[in-house]
Amino acid sequence: MSKVQSGAAEGGFRQAMAWLHTWGGLWACWVLFVIFLTGSLGVFDEPITRWMKPHLPQASEATGDTRMGDGFDRPQAVRMARTWFEENQPDAHFWGIGLPSDEDPSIRLFWQDPQENFHNARIDASTGNPVDGSRERDSEGGHHFVHMHFEFHGGTAGIWFVGAFTMAMLVALVSGIVIHKRIFKDFFTFRPGKGQRSWLDAHNALSVLSLPFQLMIAYTGLATFYALYMPAGIAAHYDSEEAYFADLLAQPAAQEITGIAAPLAAFDGMLLHAEQQLQRPASFVSIEHPNDSSASVRVFGRFIEKPGEYRLLGDGGGRVFFNGVTGEQSDVQMPGELRGGAAQDVQSVMANLHFAAFGGHLVRWLYFISGLAGAAMLATGALLFMVKRRQRSLNEFGSATPRVYRVIEVLNVGTLTGLTIACVAFFWGNRLLPLGIADRPEWEIAVFFAVWLLSVVHAGLRPVARAWVEQLLALAALCLLLPLLNWLTVGDQLFSYLQRGDGERAGVELVALGTGVLSLWGAWRLTRPRRAPAAGRQRAAAAQARS
Amino acid sequence: MKSISPRSRALLSRTLAALLGGYALTCASVIFLGAVLPLPKSQAILAASLTSFAVYTAVIVWAFATPNLTRIWRVLLIASLALTGAGLLLGGDA
Amino acid sequence: MSLTLAVILAAALCYAGMAGLCLGMDRHHSQVWKAKAPNRQRLLRVAGWLLLALAVWPCVQIWGAAVGPVVWCGMLSVGAFTLVLLLPYRPRVAALLAAVAAGVGLPVLLLSAG
């Protein structure tokens, strides 16, 4: 069995790695492209959310203000939230209360029903009544891209799916480094207009010049979910994950539900006590097992961004734990207090490095550019695979080879341009879906997936060369007309954003316009009569005829 | 039904060894390091878990670079069992 | 040092530094100059490393000792990408731009540091 030739692990280390890079990279590249493109967009989830929800205020500059008074009556807000929960969700296992702030002046409610499903709602902070969302644009916003990025909207299974492909990314990066013979000699090399040579140059340059970022982002992504991906150590040495985290972070362990009814202590008392302790406004209150004798309450301090202060560690807002029945404080972690030793510090730094929120706008832009470089690296790799084989089949799959090649071509078009079209279509869905329909955010996501599916079907029905051009033109149209659509539906557009100094919303439209121009250029490159590659083909044909 | 060629079977075996066997060995490394690293146990497990993704990458690369398939399976099996056993014994969980 | 100035300085120094390293190599030196010039190439390489090292300064000034190096890494990539995209199409413009970036960036860096 060990003597059978399969292409893998043959001909020395470098050749074995070349095989692994080609085939491992090929089967992983489409999913990874989705992860990279949506992750890059997810860097700007807040600006995207603001563009999609025109009723939200413009982003304000960080002031580092830790004062309690910001015009919101938080004790009243927790009382209102509790009244709503007691009336509507008394049997829930978990209640969460997002407190009002300048960013969102309503009270956001989250709960987990006895069947373990999560739900949410919003109530008005001044009346305590449910927010009438029929007149405002209810939207999934930029969260959509973040959720596509880490779970494909697929819950825990989705997180595992993304994790598996991130491992493939690490393996592809390592094998890629091994097979790149002249990393330093070819460091700056890009020779355009030379067919396959240019695609390889572009693939190499993109990978090598952003390699630190690609390694970092893949590894820190895995480290963020380490307890999910690598539960073996915790399972072997602890009774439960909760016990492990309680030990690691020196905090009270979660209690099992007892089934003995017990009324909760007053929320406003705990809130005021916590704000006093943390010396800052609270942002969130969570209640485990409400109205059970095991009830516990946690109050989280607001995350406060101080202007000109950038850190990778110790940026938490602090939290205070209470016994939910007696209302007594059981633990307090002050803002910036570190627990869990050097290992936890490393994990926190890794997670912060991944989330790109540590260095202001410039760091977000650097992550956006590097993430797109990663997406482009995957795209050029996928294209290179087919460019290499379009002229001369390598017959890897025997008689099925042409069909497999066709599938790869369709997946290339359906992912590279198809997904990008779907991302822009998501913005169109936000502006075109009627206001006030039930589950509007879910409909936006449905538009995204429907358009993506249509793009894949289109790629499957058309000849490859035509499919590329048509999808690039569709992408260009959707991108370039987006500001116009915004003006027609909401009455706002790029210039009014710029006039008001709303850089976030203007940025969304500028990136769309840039993408539109690039795809137009791509379509033009593909349709103009070509000379050099044709000459290359003739040379190849002549060489074949000679041999 | 068409029978699977020996070539495909060898490739399938290698891929399974790399992905599943590699994951098993990686888990074993976390259990072992969680017990022996000179840190409080929870921190040792965390440190081992953070390292584990590099371990997994290395094992996959090794499994696709070693020609002898039988050897890959043998090493994965013995190392996984030994590390898990040692980790459980030394960690005082067994 | 203001944020904007730091971003521009870091970008300029990273680009110029990358250009120095690049044009010091035989292959790319010949894209701009006809004849080989070992002394000039050595000088370009040394200058390249120096400029890249100096680019750490504005990053650390604004983002601090922890985040600054991360920003610097990102700037290195951006500088290199710009160069790689420009070089094959307009090699002389790429070299001239690097000279301007270094020529203006260095004095500004000295002034803002002093």
Side-chain angles (χ1 to χ4, degrees):
Chain A
M1 188 166 160
S2 57
K3 302 245 162 44
V4 179
Q5 306 278 302
S6 66
E10 281 166 22
F13 187 56
R14 182 168 267 170
Q15 228 169 309
M17 288 300 104
W19 185 93
L20 182 59
H21 188 78
T22 305
W23 295 101
L26 177 73
W27 301 122
C29 73
W30 300 295
V31 172
L32 285 171
F33 182 83
V34 179
I35 297 174
F36 269 77
L37 184 63
T38 56
S40 305
L41 291 167
V43 168
F44 290 119
D45 63 333
E46 280 180 29
I48 291 172
T49 300
R50 273 183 227 282
W51 188 89
M52 295 196 150
K53 296 183 174 179
H55 56 273
L56 288 188
Q58 199 166 319
S60 49
E61 287 291 312
T63 56
D65 192 359
T66 55
R67 280 172 306 160
M68 299 290 179
D70 58 359
F72 293 103
D73 189 345
R74 287 184 298 278
Q76 181 187 297
V78 288
R79 283 195 300 270
M80 280 176 177
R82 180 173 179 175
T83 310
W84 190 91
F85 276 131
E86 300 277 10
E87 282 169 9
N88 297 285
Q89 295 296 333
D91 301 324
H93 284 177
F94 167 86
W95 295 345
I97 307 166
L99 293 164
S101 67
D102 291 334
E103 299 288 290
D104 187 349
S106 61
I107 305 171
R108 286 153 295 127
L109 304 175
F110 307 85
W111 66 94
Q112 189 185 23
D113 64 26
Q115 288 78 44
E116 312 264 293
N117 297 314
F118 278 96
H119 308 272
N120 65 76
R122 284 196 301 151
I123 57 177
D124 191 305
S126 50
T127 64
N129 297 325
V131 170
D132 175 20
S134 62
R135 271 172 297 129
E136 60 190 33
R137 197 165 287 270
D138 191 15
S139 171
E140 181 69 15
H143 297 305
H144 163 63
F145 295 113
V146 177
H147 282 269
M148 272 306 286
H149 169 66
F150 82 87
E151 51 141 21
F152 277 63
H153 290 293
T156 309
I159 301 178
W160 270 102
F161 180 74
V162 170
F165 279 93
T166 312
M167 275 308 305
M169 171 89 180
L170 275 184
V171 172
L173 286 172
V174 170
S175 53
I177 296 168
V178 172
I179 63 176
H180 194 345
K181 288 187 196 124
R182 300 178 306 262
I183 288 195
F184 294 106
K185 254 184 133 176
D186 284 352
F187 204 84
F188 299 102
T189 303
F190 174 48
R191 289 156 287 187
K194 292 203 167 72
Q196 185 180 329
R197 176 84 255 167
S198 309
W199 288 110
L200 181 61
D201 277 349
H203 181 65
N204 285 345
L206 285 162
S207 324
V208 171
L209 298 182
S210 64
L211 188 65
F213 175 83
Q214 311 304 345
L215 282 171
M216 177 279 284
I217 209 72
Y219 208 95
T220 56
L222 291 164
T224 303
F225 286 111
Y226 78 93
L228 181 70
Y229 292 146
M230 287 294 164
I234 298 170
H237 298 297
Y238 284 89
D239 293 333
S240 69
E241 204 181 282
E242 287 81 12
Y244 160 76
F245 278 113
D247 186 20
L248 178 70
L249 304 173
Q251 64 192 19
Q255 305 286 314
E256 294 283 331
I257 291 190
T258 60
I260 305 164
L264 286 161
F267 284 7
D268 44 4
M270 289 187 266
L271 178 90
L272 289 171
H273 179 81
E275 292 195 336
Q276 192 82 53
Q277 286 272 27
L278 300 174
Q279 285 298 307
R280 61 176 66 201
S283 62
F284 198 85
V285 180
S286 75
I287 302 101
E288 298 274 350
H289 311 159
N291 297 323
D292 187 82
S293 69
S294 66
S296 64
V297 174
R298 275 178 242 192
V299 180
F300 295 84
R302 191 180 284 175
F303 168 74
I304 291 168
E305 204 177 330
K306 295 204 182 94
E309 194 180 300
Y310 305 102
R311 40 177 48 194
L312 281 166
L313 191 58
D315 56 352
R319 53 193 160 182
V320 185
F321 288 58
F322 296 94
N323 179 314
V325 179
T326 62
E328 274 167 33
Q329 174 185 314
S330 51
D331 183 40
V332 55
Q333 183 172 1
M334 291 303 287
E337 181 188 335
L338 300 175
R339 291 187 181 177
Q344 180 57 54
D345 292 352
V346 171
Q347 201 271 343
S348 302
V349 168
M350 284 183 164
N352 282 338
L353 271 176
H354 195 89
F355 292 135
F358 57 85
H361 292 310
L362 179 81
V363 164
R364 287 211 173 80
W365 277 105
L366 289 177
Y367 271 62
F368 183 69
I369 294 168
S370 307
L372 289 183
M377 164 184 83
L378 294 156
T380 49
L383 291 170
L384 181 59
F385 183 93
M386 275 324 298
V387 168
K388 233 181 198 169
R389 285 157 180 80
R390 225 175 262 158
Q391 293 171 12
R392 194 167 59 89
S393 169
L394 297 181
N395 259 328
E396 295 100 331
F397 304 95
S399 58
T401 304
R403 264 170 290 149
V404 177
Y405 283 180
R406 172 74 188 152
V407 170
I408 294 171
E409 297 263 30
V410 170
L411 284 173
N412 276 352
V413 181
T415 312
L416 304 186
T417 47
L419 172 80
T420 317
I421 290 174
C423 288
V424 189
F426 178 69
F427 289 82
W428 280 71
N430 170 271
R431 287 298 191 257
L432 290 180
L433 284 170
L435 300 181
I437 53 170
D439 301 325
R440 195 168 186 277
E442 280 73 22
W443 279 105
E444 289 177 344
I445 297 171
V447 167
F448 167 83
F449 280 112
V451 170
W452 191 7
L453 188 67
L454 274 178
S455 306
V456 177
V457 170
H458 169 261
L461 293 176
R462 304 284 291 156
V464 186
R466 291 305 309 159
W468 278 116
V469 174
E470 285 162 8
Q471 297 214 359
L472 280 171
L473 287 176
L475 178 60
L478 286 175
C479 285
L480 296 175
L481 295 176
L482 190 68
L484 183 68
L485 172 78
N486 185 22
W487 182 63
L488 289 174
T489 51
V490 174
D492 246 335
Q493 30 74 20
L494 188 55
F495 296 106
S496 53
Y497 289 145
L498 287 173
Q499 249 167 10
R500 265 178 279 152
D502 191 342
E504 290 197 333
R505 288 187 173 102
V508 170
E509 302 207 348
L510 285 171
V511 169
L513 289 176
T515 313
V517 171
L518 265 182
S519 21
L520 259 191
W521 175 76
W524 172 76
R525 278 292 303 258
L526 286 177
T527 45
R528 72 172 180 178
R530 273 173 297 179
R531 280 160 295 146
R537 260 202 298 279
Q538 275 161 15
R539 264 203 304 281
Q544 251 175 352
R546 269 199 302 277
S547 62
Chain B
M1 206 185 118
K2 222 169 28 173
S3 68
I4 304 165
S5 72
R7 199 184 123 92
S8 309
R9 214 176 319 144
L11 184 55
L12 184 68
S13 167
R14 182 182 298 278
T15 310
L16 286 177
L19 300 185
L20 300 183
Y23 186 71
L25 178 55
T26 309
C27 289
S29 81
V30 178
I31 295 172
F32 178 72
L33 288 175
V36 300
L37 285 181
L39 289 167
K41 195 186 269 177
S42 60
Q43 296 179 29
I45 292 172
L46 175 49
S49 303
L50 293 180
T51 324
S52 70
F53 305 109
V55 173
Y56 196 9
T57 309
V59 175
I60 294 175
V61 164
W62 169 76
F64 277 101
T66 307
N68 190 329
L69 249 177
T70 331
R71 204 183 100 122
I72 297 174
W73 278 109
R74 202 177 333 125
V75 170
L76 285 175
L77 193 71
I78 294 173
S80 303
L81 288 176
L83 286 176
T84 308
L88 290 177
L89 280 176
L90 294 170
D93 305 292
Chain C
M1 191 184 293
S2 79
L3 179 80
T4 318
L5 179 63
V7 174
I8 295 171
L9 263 182
L13 294 176
C14 282
Y15 173 80
M18 283 293 178
L21 292 184
C22 171
L23 297 175
M25 297 162 77
D26 286 343
R27 179 188 291 172
H28 301 293
H29 187 266
S30 64
Q31 284 177 280
V32 178
W33 291 279
K34 283 205 183 81
K36 274 192 189 178
N39 285 330
R40 178 164 58 206
Q41 284 173 255
R42 202 171 307 121
L43 185 73
L44 280 166
R45 280 198 296 271
V46 173
W49 285 115
L50 267 175
L51 287 165
L52 292 184
L54 283 173
V56 180
W57 176 250
C59 299
V60 170
Q61 278 289 297
I62 293 291
W63 284 275
V67 176
V70 181
V71 173
W72 178 68
C73 283
M75 285 306 214
L76 287 181
S77 287
V78 170
F81 278 134
T82 317
L83 178 69
V84 167
L85 272 180
L86 193 55
L87 193 66
Y89 299 99
R90 296 275 182 280
R92 282 171 173 280
V93 175
L96 197 67
L97 188 64
V100 173
V104 177
L106 280 177
V108 174
L109 184 76
L110 283 174
L111 282 175
S112 61

